[in-house]
Amino acid sequence: MTPEELRAFCLEFNDATEEFPFGPETSVFKVAGKLFALSALDSEPLRVNLKCDPDEAVRLREEHPAIVPGYHMNKRHWNTVTVGELPDRTVRELVEDSYDLVVAGLPKAVRLRLDRP
């Protein structure tokens, strides 16, 4: 997956936005103002921080050397994923899971507006 593909995929979700609160080199992808993915899209190798269920985060880290505790994030709830070392399908699933976790924590009215009860 290329940086452009990762960016485009993150922006495909309902109400997803890209912001640059940490400077122009770091893309922060949000839904309803809440972070679900963070990446320096021009970095080599390409990495992305993604929210994850704590138990699932531990399992993923044990199974995949390309998944480690979130860099500069709450290590219990965030993973850093080295994109090129995993199949694109896996990266897409992890991004979608991150988005869904963030949406699940939003007020019900917002979740319904996003068509994700």
Side-chain angles (χ1 to χ4, degrees):
M1 177 177 286
T2 67
E4 295 79 21
E5 290 169 335
L6 176 61
R7 179 180 183 276
F9 184 68
C10 287
L11 291 172
E12 284 180 11
F13 296 100
N14 289 342
D15 202 36
T17 60
E18 181 181 23
E19 299 178 10
F20 301 91
F22 306 116
E25 66 283 343
T26 305
S27 293
V28 175
F29 298 97
K30 295 182 176 183
V31 56
K34 302 289 184 180
L35 170 71
F36 73 91
L38 178 142
S39 179
L41 293 173
D42 60 351
S43 67
E44 279 292 329
L46 178 60
R47 292 185 182 97
V48 60
N49 284 358
L50 299 169
K51 191 164 184 140
C52 192
D53 171 79
D55 294 329
E56 181 74 0
V58 171
R59 185 188 67 75
L60 288 167
R61 293 171 197 163
E62 290 172 352
E63 289 180 10
H64 304 283
I67 301 176
V68 297
Y71 181 69
H72 282 299
M73 306 294 275
N74 179 325
K75 311 254 184 276
R76 179 168 154 74
H77 295 277
W78 290 85
N79 281 334
T80 296
V81 177
T82 303
V83 175
E85 295 180 18
L86 292 171
D88 287 359
R89 179 179 176 180
T90 302
V91 174
R92 289 176 184 275
E93 289 170 357
L94 294 171
V95 171
E96 185 171 7
D97 288 348
S98 180
Y99 176 87
D100 287 343
L101 273 173
V102 173
V103 168
L106 296 173
K108 184 177 181 180
V110 176
R111 288 194 317 269
L112 291 174
R113 180 176 59 79
L114 296 172
D115 195 28
R116 294 229 191 231

